[in-house]
């Protein structure tokens, strides 16, 4: 590994051997011990990864090409599960559409909200620490409890949300039972937990050198200008991290849907992972469920790759020099 | 059907089942992925290994269920001192996934509780057919359990012995009836007498409704059956929900909400409070009548000042009412099915079921016990409730065909009927839509 390679890198005083390759330097005892310890300490993770992640993942690729009820032996069906999902399933495209709708709106919106709050809490206001705690607090509440709270919040007549809307003359929708409003309701609920991103952004803000602001101030930059020209570029690595995590998390949204709507009404809020769960563990179609998982995997990879591909244009690292 | 399984889809409340199922999902996936496919039996009576004396029994439920089952297992241990019987109580919300994992990894129980999902297992050769044992033991299923004795048959074989079975009954609030000057319900009520009463008991000014509603499948399936229809063909399990009889029953059901306005819609319930459904609204006096299972006896008895009683569910052209029950079965992986059967036979006898009645857990399936004072006049219940309604309903119990695609059927029903119960589509359109969805998921047995 790196320990070995470092000793074998050309130009470090090793003489090239007859075959043109540097001869393998004999590992000094303390290095050998270090390597052994490395493997010793990494092994729980490696074993866990192989047994609980890689193994089941490979098994599920196989399963996705079979029909398996989990009791009788799997039956090989080739690409049938994928073909059925993509061409003949009555809800699959609707479900993927719902999931994309949720992810594409909730992730940028959540990032904007958490950036706004972070900027607010970075100001020198009284009780700043208290506010920071309060903003992070929703993030600590289990999603199950959050769902129960929002079940009340979204109640069509008696819920505080629609009561507030009625104060300004708007008749609020029947959030969780109306096909048009159930996804916006879930997105609204996701915003309540934007405080998680806020904490990371605040930490990032603390790391921005004060000199940059001093220089900007001398140059006569307004606070708005300072935000966009100093704070924001300096925060882009954190924002990028939030984006990737947001994409992965939102495509895998499960508990909120499962608890709050069960995917209803008529699959208007059904998402990819709850559908996968239904197929595999309620309907005993393990193969079909595995195929959904792999399609979802490809979709998440594609969006993540897209984010990485564009990141060069807008993510700045401190040490980086831009022309 | 245990009480935690009974969440009405119309008032889609957060059930504990769905809460924990989410948490359990990841774990179940790992467990299953790690073990290969289970083997199927040939469907015949397997060999028994008489040396296998440590038996495991899986049941679902909460604390009250645990106490009742343990009391019964203790009785069985006295009866069969050679065996050790270990009771495994699994929370309802994880039960199906957990036993699925156990069976797939060949660590299945020796005795297992099942309900509507029985044929998920039997259709995949995971249960021992019991007919040979039943005839050898001289057990008369019809005499011992009534029509429910037929419930756990699949493809000509019997797979389960009924253990718990209580008809859905009509709970009513006596004070609200007295205030409206109406006679209490009886077994003679039909759709018209019921509707007249429900109208008289509805008072929008007080936010009071005559009836809790019929949006939950045991309720409207009963109405369809009462009208001479069937959601699932009793023989083949094929869907027939858009028959004229079924559509007429559905229309009558929907009219309760939107024409006569005698039952709260899902919107009304969500405005009453979180987790609010018919059972809760009945306890608060917001609905005067509610049709549900035995579990509400204990729930209602605990409410101070609630003056209530029960009557058999009303009838239509025919008598038909759903029941909530479960059976005990033997998985094919069980090593000593002979011993499993002997214990099941004891547990479903009047003697073995007595703790169900004594502790007020549920309605025992055994008719002898159901008609005895142990069940009808129990010590745990101070209220003077007419528990007679349960045995009185026993012979009108109808059971929908327990198809192997039961869970998928439930999902199709929820999906197709969401707009129906909100008054956004009519009975015929909904029934046609549901029919085509069901035809997609259900493969009729014949």
């Amino acid at each position: 590994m790196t320990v070995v390679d470092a000793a074998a890198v050309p130009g470090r005083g090793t003489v090239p051997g007859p075959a043109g390759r540097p001869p393998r330097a004999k590992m000094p005892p303390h290095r050998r011990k270090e390597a052994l310890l490395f493997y010793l300490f990494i092994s729980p993770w490696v074993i866990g990864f192989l047994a609980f992640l890689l193994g089941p993942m490979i098994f599920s690729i196989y399963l996705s090409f079979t029909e398996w009820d989990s009791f009788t032996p799997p039956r090989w069906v080739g690409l049938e599960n994928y073909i059925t999902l993509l061409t003949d399933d009555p809800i699959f495209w609707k479900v993927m559409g719902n999931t994309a709708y949720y992810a594409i709106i909730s992730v940028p919106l959540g990032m904007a909200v958490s950036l706004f709050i972070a900027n607010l809490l970075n100001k020198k206001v009284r009780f700043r620490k208290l506010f920071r705690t309060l903003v992070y607090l929703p993030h600590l509440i289990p999603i199950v409890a959050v769902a129960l709270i929002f079940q009340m919040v979204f109640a069509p007549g008696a819920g505080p949300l629609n009561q507030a809307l009625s104060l300004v003359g708007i008749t609020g929708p029947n959030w969780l039972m109306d096909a048009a409003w159930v996804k916006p309701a879930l997105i609204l609920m996701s915003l309540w937990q934007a405080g998680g991103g806020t904490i990371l952004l605040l930490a990032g803000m603390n790391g921005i050198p004060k000199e940059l602001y001093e220089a900007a101030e001398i140059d006569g930059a307004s606070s708005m200008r300072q935000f966009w020209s100093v704070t924001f570029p300096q925060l882009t690595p954190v924002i990028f991290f939030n984006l990737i995590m947001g994409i992965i998390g939102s495509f895998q949204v499960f508990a909120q849907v499962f608890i709050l709507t069960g995917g209803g009404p008529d699959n208007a809020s059904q998402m990819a992972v709850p559908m996968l769960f239904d197929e595999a563990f309620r309907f005993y179609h393990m193969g079909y469920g595995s195929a959904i998982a792999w399609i979802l995997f490809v979709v998440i990879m594609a969006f993540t790759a897209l984010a990485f591909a564009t990141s060069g244009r807008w993510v700045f690292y401190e040490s980086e020099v831009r022309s | 059907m245990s009480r935690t399984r009974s969440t009405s889809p119309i008032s889609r409340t957060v059930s504990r089942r769905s809460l924990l199922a989410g948490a359990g999902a990841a774990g179940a996936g790992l467990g299953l992925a790690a073990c290969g496919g289970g083997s199927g039996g040939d469907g015949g009576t397997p060999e028994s290994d008489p040396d296998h004396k440590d038996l495991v029994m899986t049941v679902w439920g909460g604390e009250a269920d645990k106490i009742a089952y343990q009391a019964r297992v203790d009785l069985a241990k006295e009866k069969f001192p050679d065996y050790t019987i270990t009771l495994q109580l699994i929370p309802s919300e994880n039960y199906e996934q957990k036993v699925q994992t156990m069976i797939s990894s060949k660590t299945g129980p020796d005795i297992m509780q099942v309900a509507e999902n029985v044929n998920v297992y039997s259709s995949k050769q995971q249960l021992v057919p019991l007919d040979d044992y039943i005839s050898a033991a001289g057990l008369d299923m019809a005499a011992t359990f009534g029509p429910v004795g037929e419930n756990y048959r699949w493809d000509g074989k019997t797979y389960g012995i009924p253990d718990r079975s209580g008809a859905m009954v009509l709970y009513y609030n006596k004070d609200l009836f007295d205030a409206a000057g109406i006679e209490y319900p009886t077994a003679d009520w039909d759709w018209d007498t019921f509707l007249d009463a429900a109208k008289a008991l509805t008072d929008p000014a007080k936010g009071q409704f005559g009836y809790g509603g019929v949006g939950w499948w045991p309720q409207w399936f009963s109405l369809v059956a009462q009208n001479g229809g069937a959601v699932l063909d009793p023989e083949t399990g094929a869907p027939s929900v858009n028959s004229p009889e079924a559509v007429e029953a559905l229309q009558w059901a929907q009219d309760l909400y939107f024409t006569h306005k005698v039952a709260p819609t899902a919107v009304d319930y969500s405005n009453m409070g979180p987790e609010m459904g018919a059972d809760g609204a009945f306890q608060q006096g917001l609905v005067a009548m509610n049709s549900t299972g035995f579990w509400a006896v204990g729930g209602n008895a605990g409410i101070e000042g609630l003056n209530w009683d029960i009557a058999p569910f009303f009838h239509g052209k025919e008598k038909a009412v759903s029941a909530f029950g479960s059976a005990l079965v033997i998985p094919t992986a069980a090593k000593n099915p002979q011993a499993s059967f002997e214990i099941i036979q004891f547990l479903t006898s009047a003697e073995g079921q007595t703790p169900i009645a004594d502790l007020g857990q549920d309605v025992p399936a055994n008719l002898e016990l159901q008609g005895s004072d142990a069940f009808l006049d129990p010590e745990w219940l101070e209220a003077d409730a007419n528990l007679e309604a349960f045995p009185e309903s026993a012979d009108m119990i109808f059971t929908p065909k327990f198809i192997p695609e039961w869970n998928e059927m439930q999902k199709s029903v929820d999906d197709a009927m969401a707009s129906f119960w909100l008054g956004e589509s009519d009975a015929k359109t909904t029934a046609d839509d549901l029919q085509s969805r069901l035809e997609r998921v259900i493969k009729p047995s014949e």
Side-chain angles (χ1 to χ4, degrees), chain A residues 58-262:
Chain A
I58 292 167
F59 190 57
S60 87
I61 295 183
Y62 161 70
L63 283 182
S64 74
F65 297 109
T66 68
E67 194 183 301
W68 188 41
D69 58 26
S70 85
F71 299 115
T72 46
R75 191 170 65 83
W76 184 265
V77 295
L79 286 170
E80 198 183 295
N81 288 331
Y82 291 96
I83 293 167
T84 308
L85 270 173
L86 296 173
T87 63
D88 194 34
D89 191 288
I91 65 165
F92 181 70
W93 285 106
K94 187 177 182 179
V95 166
M96 291 311 277
N98 290 341
T99 314
Y101 179 110
Y102 176 81
I104 286 167
I105 296 182
S106 78
V107 173
L109 207 58
M111 284 170 42
V113 168
S114 58
L115 184 62
F116 178 77
I117 298 173
N119 200 38
L120 216 57
L121 293 180
N122 205 31
K123 305 272 181 251
K124 289 195 167 50
V125 288
R126 289 183 68 179
F127 307 119
R128 189 166 66 159
K129 283 188 175 155
L130 179 71
F131 283 126
R132 286 181 176 183
T133 311
L134 290 180
V135 162
Y136 192 64
L137 217 50
H139 200 71
L140 298 176
I141 298 175
I143 192 71
V144 171
V146 174
L148 282 171
I149 295 166
F150 272 80
Q151 198 182 32
M152 284 185 263
V153 170
F154 287 131
L161 182 59
N162 279 1
Q163 297 222 322
L165 287 175
S166 73
L167 288 181
V168 292
I170 300 170
T171 310
N174 184 357
W175 292 96
L176 296 176
M177 283 168 257
D178 187 325
W181 285 101
V182 65
K183 286 187 289 287
L186 289 170
I187 291 169
L188 268 182
M189 188 176 133
S190 76
L191 291 184
W192 197 58
Q193 296 203 312
T198 302
I199 287 298
L200 291 176
L201 289 166
L202 273 173
M205 284 176 176
N206 281 335
I208 300 173
K210 294 283 167 288
E211 307 90 78
L212 296 179
Y213 291 103
E214 284 161 14
E217 212 158 306
I218 290 165
D219 288 347
S222 67
S223 57
M224 192 58 121
R225 184 65 203 263
Q226 283 182 28
F227 175 78
W228 286 113
S229 297
V230 179
T231 314
F232 188 79
Q234 291 283 324
L235 282 179
T236 48
V238 179
I239 293 174
F240 182 61
F241 176 81
N242 281 350
L243 174 69
I244 299 294
M245 288 304 163
I247 289 172
I248 296 173
S250 61
F251 270 98
Q252 294 183 344
V253 59
F254 178 75
Q256 298 91 311
V257 178
F258 205 75
I259 296 163
L260 213 49
T261 70

Side-chain angles (χ1 to χ4, degrees), chain B residues 63-128:
Chain B
E63 200 50 42
D65 300 297
K66 187 174 186 169
I67 294 167
Y69 279 111
Q70 191 60 56
R72 296 169 64 201
V73 164
D74 290 344
L75 290 178
K77 280 182 191 162
E78 280 175 34
K79 190 96 176 174
F80 304 98
D82 291 347
Y83 299 120
T84 56
I85 309 166
T86 312
L87 184 71
Q88 272 189 26
L89 184 119
I90 300 166
S92 318
E93 47 278 352
N94 297 337
Y95 187 79
E96 284 187 23
Q97 282 87 40
K98 186 89 192 244
V99 295
Q100 182 187 6
T101 312
M102 287 170 84
I103 293 174
S104 310
S105 59
K106 296 177 188 174
T107 53
D110 299 278
I111 299 171
M112 180 173 128
Q113 184 190 9
V114 297
E116 291 88 351
N117 56 355
V118 57
N119 294 319
V120 166
Y121 310 105
S122 69
S123 68
K124 299 174 178 65
Q125 287 83 46
Q126 298 304 309
L127 299 182
V128 176

Side-chain angles (χ1 to χ4, degrees), chain A residues 52 59 69-71 73 88 90 151-152 155-158 174 177 254 258-259 266-267 270 277 281-285, chain B residues 14 18-19 22 25 29-30 32-33 38 96-97 100 104 120-121 124 266-267 270-271 274 407-408 411 415 437 440:
Chain A
F52 297 118
F59 190 57
D69 58 26
S70 85
F71 299 115
D88 194 34
Q151 198 182 32
M152 284 185 263
N174 184 357
M177 283 168 257
F254 178 75
F258 205 75
I259 296 163
D266 195 7
N267 298 307
Q270 183 69 312
F277 177 82
F281 299 103
R282 286 178 61 204
F283 306 157
Y284 305 95
H285 302 153
Chain B
V14 181
S18 50
L19 298 189
L30 289 175
L32 272 175
E96 284 187 23
Q97 282 87 40
Q100 182 187 6
S104 310
V120 166
Y121 310 105
K124 299 174 178 65
V267 175
S270 61
N271 286 331
N407 291 345
E408 284 166 280
K411 162 92 173 143
D415 288 351
R437 292 183 197 230
R440 193 185 159 85

Side-chain angles (χ1 to χ4, degrees), chain B residues 291-304:
Chain B
S291 40
T292 188
F294 174 85
W295 55 85
V297 171
N300 294 340
I303 304 293
E304 195 90 11

Side-chain angles (χ1 to χ4, degrees), chain B residues 258-270:
Chain B
F258 302 102
T259 305
H260 309 301
K261 297 186 165 61
V262 296
T265 64
V267 175
D268 294 325
Y269 276 124
S270 61

Side-chain angles (χ1 to χ4, degrees), chain B residues 280-354:
Chain B
F282 180 82
Q283 291 180 355
Q284 294 188 11
L286 296 172
V287 305
M289 292 181 279
N290 180 33
S291 40
T292 188
F294 174 85
W295 55 85
V297 171
N300 294 340
I303 304 293
E304 195 90 11
L306 183 70
N307 191 11
W308 60 281
D309 207 340
I310 43 184
F313 193 56
F314 53 82
H315 59 83
K317 288 176 196 150
E318 295 171 22
K319 289 194 169 192
V321 66
S322 301
F324 309 99
S326 65
L328 298 177
V329 299
I330 307 172
T332 30
K335 290 190 190 70
N336 190 353
Q338 179 62 42
S340 295
F341 184 81
E342 281 169 20
I343 291 163
I344 289 177
Q345 197 192 350
F346 171 75
L347 289 174
T348 54
S349 68
E351 187 189 354
Q353 296 210 317
T354 301

